[in-house]
Amino acid sequence: MATSVIILAAGKGTRMKSALPKVLQPLANTPLLGHVLNTARQLQAERIITIYGHGGELVKQTFSKQNIDWVEQAEQLGTGHAVQMTLPILPQEGLSLILYGDVPLVSKNTLQRLLDASTASGIGMITLNVENPTGYGRIIRKDGKIQAIIEHKDASEQQRQITEINTGIYCVSNQKLHEWLPKLSNNNVQGEYYLTDIVAMAVADGLEIASIAPEFNFEVEGINDRLQLAALECQWQNYQAETLMRQGVHIIDPHRFDLRGTLNCGQDVQIDINVIIEGECELGDNVKIGAGCILKNTKIAANTVVQPYSVFDSAIVGENNQIGPFARLRPNAVLANDVHIGNFVEVKNSSVGYASKANHFTYLGDAQVGAESNIGAGTITCNYDGANKHKTVIGNQAFIGSNSSLVAPVQIGDGATVGAGSVITRDVAAHSLAVERAEVRHKANYQRPQKQKS
Ligand code: UD1
Ligand code: CA
């Protein structure tokens, strides 16, 4: 059956004390609403309807590349009122999942179970037993069957003893939503149109309300302030670290590991403390990542060892490399196998061939380095003339002496040698030696300029 997803995202989020709308606050570097939208896509929802209010333009802009139907709720008159706003565009057939922009981590699996459980009767919900139910809507059951949801503020002392709570996540037939929502009233303590009232309407129609529990409690946790945001981030990071460890990744301390995206690992990968992984990353067998490294959209092949505090952005690293400490690989750095990149070496839009080495203080930008070449300490490819970028091409088995500047566009042939301290401005032929330095002058008994007396 076709599934629609309705996402409530109109709340102000006053307690965040932020200029940014609550649903755009980041969890694991993705906006809260972004997590919900990703999950909706994974469920192959036919239609995603998002209800926005406060800060709506920025929210819409943030997700402008996605196929989403936006519905405005100008005044927040309650959760039932919010879903009413969708009726003009809600399909007549199929089921809708009702989710929240500030409940980011509900999983595809849990929602799939909710859909399966709700198909027969046309209404189901996620409930949870908690130690402290204060503030939540309570689930009223009779002979085990759900009868109604009573909001905390409307509940009697006796009803407040109930520990089964409403998570707010439902799956409801669209046909029933069209039938029930226009009938909601705001006749309650808060004067709001409660979405929860559809449960009693379903019971009145003789329907049995399905209920499931989430696989993990963090899936149904909502965010109202920065303390809750940090607490959920922590739970999510622990969960991700546990998942990776179960897959065989050696994370030295799961409490000091952050994954803000996805990570695929081969066997016996080791990750030291305080590593941050962003975007989509891949690590081959036996890769070791030292403390404090940051990897974004990067692929590292088997047996490569990365020393501490190296930073990677959109790099492709071959097998058996030695990288860092303090290396920086920028977009489109492509390293072949057995390459060494040492401390304070920056590589951008450059390829480095098999077994070549740049071990100390080097900038390789817009360069192509062949195999088995040695780039001496302090070598700089001068790729930028102030207006345009130019290429440096270095052949195989070349030797670039320390502190050389290679002024691009320039080519250094196979087996060529560049003398230390050279500023290379012309191509160097294969197997030749090039030394380009200023004339050597040694002046005996040299007098430095004296300070003028005023
Ligand atoms: C709601 C449920 C309660 C449940 C709890 C779980 C109702 C009446 N009550 O209560 O049973 O235990 O969630 O957290 O539904 N929103 C809008 N427009 C509105 C009102 C709310 O978009 O007009 C959004 C809010 O931004 C928020 C969510 O809906 O993301 C929940 O609204 P909130 O008012 O916090 O509901 P609760 O009182 O927590
Ligand atoms: Ca709430």
Side-chain angles (χ1 to χ4, degrees), residues 140-348:
I140 312 293
R141 288 184 187 260
K142 194 171 145 202
D143 304 325
K145 290 179 181 161
I146 296 177
Q147 299 300 307
I149 302 170
I150 304 291
E151 289 305 289
H152 181 88
K153 286 181 180 151
D154 298 290
S156 66
E157 243 345 283
Q158 198 187 0
Q159 287 168 331
R160 287 183 180 179
Q161 303 305 309
I162 297 169
T163 56
E164 189 185 6
I165 59 128
N166 172 29
T167 65
I169 297 173
Y170 321 87
C171 176
V172 192
S173 103
N174 291 336
Q175 195 200 329
K176 292 293 177 188
L177 285 174
H178 280 285
E179 194 181 314
W180 294 328
L181 288 175
K183 293 197 251 173
L184 292 177
S185 81
N186 62 354
N187 186 13
N188 51 55
V189 170
Q190 302 186 78
E192 287 180 8
Y193 295 90
Y194 287 168
L195 181 57
T196 46
D197 287 350
I198 63 171
V199 167
M201 292 180 183
V203 173
D205 283 0
L207 299 179
E208 192 169 319
I209 291 129
S211 69
I212 65 155
E215 190 177 357
F216 304 103
N217 289 4
F218 66 71
E219 290 185 66
V220 295
E221 235 141 83
I223 303 295
N224 294 304
D225 59 30
R226 294 190 189 274
L227 278 75
Q228 290 171 338
L229 181 61
L232 193 59
E233 173 86 38
C234 185
Q235 289 188 67
W236 178 237
Q237 292 303 345
N238 286 343
Y239 168 75
Q240 292 188 119
E242 272 175 32
T243 306
L244 287 166
M245 291 189 290
R246 284 185 213 288
Q247 289 166 2
V249 181
H250 181 190
I251 296 178
I252 288 180
D253 180 356
H255 301 295
R256 289 180 288 174
F257 168 77
D258 285 87
L259 173 56
R260 302 168 183 173
T262 57
L263 174 62
N264 282 308
C265 286
Q267 213 172 23
D268 293 306
V269 165
Q270 192 190 81
I271 299 176
D272 210 331
I273 60 165
N274 295 336
V275 169
I276 300 178
I277 301 200
E278 293 179 55
E280 287 175 26
C281 291
E282 239 180 88
L283 303 178
D285 293 347
N286 306 311
V287 165
K288 285 189 168 64
I289 306 293
C293 288
I294 301 178
L295 280 71
K296 182 177 173 186
N297 295 323
T298 286
K299 248 172 137 163
I300 300 180
N303 302 315
T304 286
V305 175
V306 179
Q307 303 287 351
Y309 303 107
S310 297
V311 178
F312 299 72
D313 180 1
S314 308
I316 299 176
V317 178
E319 294 182 7
N320 205 34
N321 283 15
Q322 301 281 337
I323 314 261
F326 302 103
R328 181 171 184 212
L329 301 194
R330 291 174 52 202
N332 202 25
V334 180
L335 310 184
N337 295 342
D338 295 278
V339 168
H340 291 195
I341 298 291
N343 42 234
F344 310 108
V345 173
E346 175 179 344
V347 183
K348 184 220 76 176

Side-chain angles (χ1 to χ4, degrees), residues 100-165:
Y100 300 84
D102 60 1
V103 182
L105 295 180
V106 63
S107 73
K108 177 191 166 210
N109 286 352
T110 295
L111 292 177
Q112 191 59 56
R113 276 197 296 126
L114 176 62
L115 275 165
D116 295 344
S118 311
T119 309
S121 67
I123 180 165
M125 55 189 294
I126 303 181
T127 73
L128 186 66
N129 271 293
V130 295
E131 266 174 37
N132 179 11
T134 306
Y136 289 101
R138 305 301 207 283
I139 308 296
I140 312 293
R141 288 184 187 260
K142 194 171 145 202
D143 304 325
K145 290 179 181 161
I146 296 177
Q147 299 300 307
I149 302 170
I150 304 291
E151 289 305 289
H152 181 88
K153 286 181 180 151
D154 298 290
S156 66
E157 243 345 283
Q158 198 187 0
Q159 287 168 331
R160 287 183 180 179
Q161 303 305 309
I162 297 169
T163 56
E164 189 185 6
I165 59 128

